[in-house]
Amino acid sequence: MKPLVSVIVTTKNNEGIIARCLSSIAKQSYTRLELIVVDNFSKDHTAKIASQFTKKVYYRGPERSAQRNFGVRKAKGSYFFFIDSDMELTRDVVSDCVEKVGKHAALVIPERFEGKGFWTRCKILEKSSYSGTGDGNAARFCTKKAFFAVHGYDEQLTGPEDIDFHKRIQTAGNVAYSSAEIIHHDQRLRLADIVKKRYYYSLTLRRYLLKHPTTSKSEFRFLRSA
């Protein structure tokens, strides 16, 4: 029997985009999936829409790290796949990950960013500059053993928690790359939206810098060179 993959999706007030995300999971060519949605007490219809795709809709906050760790506690799979609600999976992502993971601890899935509006395109350009630098790598697909070996996501981090998790899971084994991709949809942004989010993420940045004093020196810099 093929191994069970637990796909854990975190949400908060995403009624306009959550159906696209969950529909792409439902349409995967790899069918032995367990879909778990962990909602951060949305005030809109996010949870109601999610319940049309899975009975496993839970409520947890205050942020993604705690939501993901809670989702794992409800999961039964041999592999965990962490997805954000603004993502859309291409049809063979899970199949490719199961095939590629082998003896690796985790996999990075390449992301293709899409979005409309000037500031959204600016954000996408910034993200694309991370490709190949090591700054933007974030393993999203991992083995159950590796996840528990590094004690999951750091619940005191918001923003750099993905990179922190990626760095720590490398201590549990090799991290490889999937050949498939995720489409990451950025909503139309204003400059104020970007500034507000960056400020919010900066509140836990000191903890991240203290955890990774050597590697973080090259990550947070004003200018990036090709």
Side-chain angles (χ1 to χ4, degrees), residues 4-194:
L4 179 67
V5 177
S6 299
V7 183
I8 300 169
V9 182
T10 56
T11 66
K12 183 178 182 179
N13 297 329
N14 300 130
E15 65 178 7
I17 60 175
I18 188 63
R20 177 180 59 199
C21 173
L22 301 185
S23 178
S24 73
I25 296 170
K27 294 176 182 177
Q28 287 296 293
S29 59
Y30 191 92
T31 57
R32 189 154 159 71
L33 300 177
E34 172 189 44
L35 175 57
I36 297 172
V37 175
V38 186
D39 182 63
N40 190 357
F41 304 99
S42 292
K43 296 180 180 180
D44 60 12
H45 295 99
T46 298
K48 182 178 180 180
I49 296 170
S51 66
Q52 297 173 13
F53 292 87
T54 177
K55 294 181 179 178
K56 298 182 179 181
V57 178
Y58 303 100
Y59 298 91
R60 191 75 172 187
E63 274 294 349
R64 290 185 304 247
S65 293
Q67 289 176 269
R68 290 168 179 169
N69 289 342
F70 180 82
V72 163
R73 292 197 289 274
K74 297 295 183 180
K76 299 179 180 179
S78 301
Y79 301 111
F80 304 142
F81 193 4
F82 300 98
I83 299 297
D84 295 336
S85 54
D86 57 358
M87 295 177 172
E88 180 182 1
L89 305 188
T90 50
R91 189 172 185 272
D92 296 320
V93 169
V94 177
S95 178
D96 185 77
C97 286
V98 172
E99 179 182 342
K100 292 278 179 24
V101 67
K103 296 182 179 180
H104 299 296
L107 293 174
V108 174
I109 297 92
E111 297 179 25
R112 170 161 52 93
F113 296 93
E114 296 184 357
K116 297 180 180 180
F118 175 77
W119 289 109
T120 304
R121 292 196 299 271
C122 289
K123 183 181 177 183
I124 290 172
L125 178 61
E126 179 201 11
K127 289 179 178 179
S128 66
S129 72
Y130 300 161
S131 180
T133 67
D135 293 3
N137 290 337
R140 292 187 174 277
F141 188 98
C142 67
T143 67
K144 180 177 181 178
K145 180 180 179 180
F147 182 90
F148 285 109
V150 301
H151 308 292
Y153 284 88
D154 185 340
E155 296 188 13
Q156 296 184 57
L157 289 179
T158 301
E161 79 279 355
D162 288 335
I163 306 303
D164 170 71
F165 177 73
H166 177 86
K167 289 181 176 181
R168 290 186 293 107
I169 206 164
Q170 289 181 95
T171 65
N174 293 329
V175 176
Y177 280 77
S178 169
S179 299
E181 67 177 4
I182 292 172
I183 303 171
H184 197 146
H185 296 277
D186 279 313
Q187 299 183 63
R188 186 181 292 271
L189 297 171
R190 302 170 300 165
L191 178 58
D193 298 325
I194 296 174

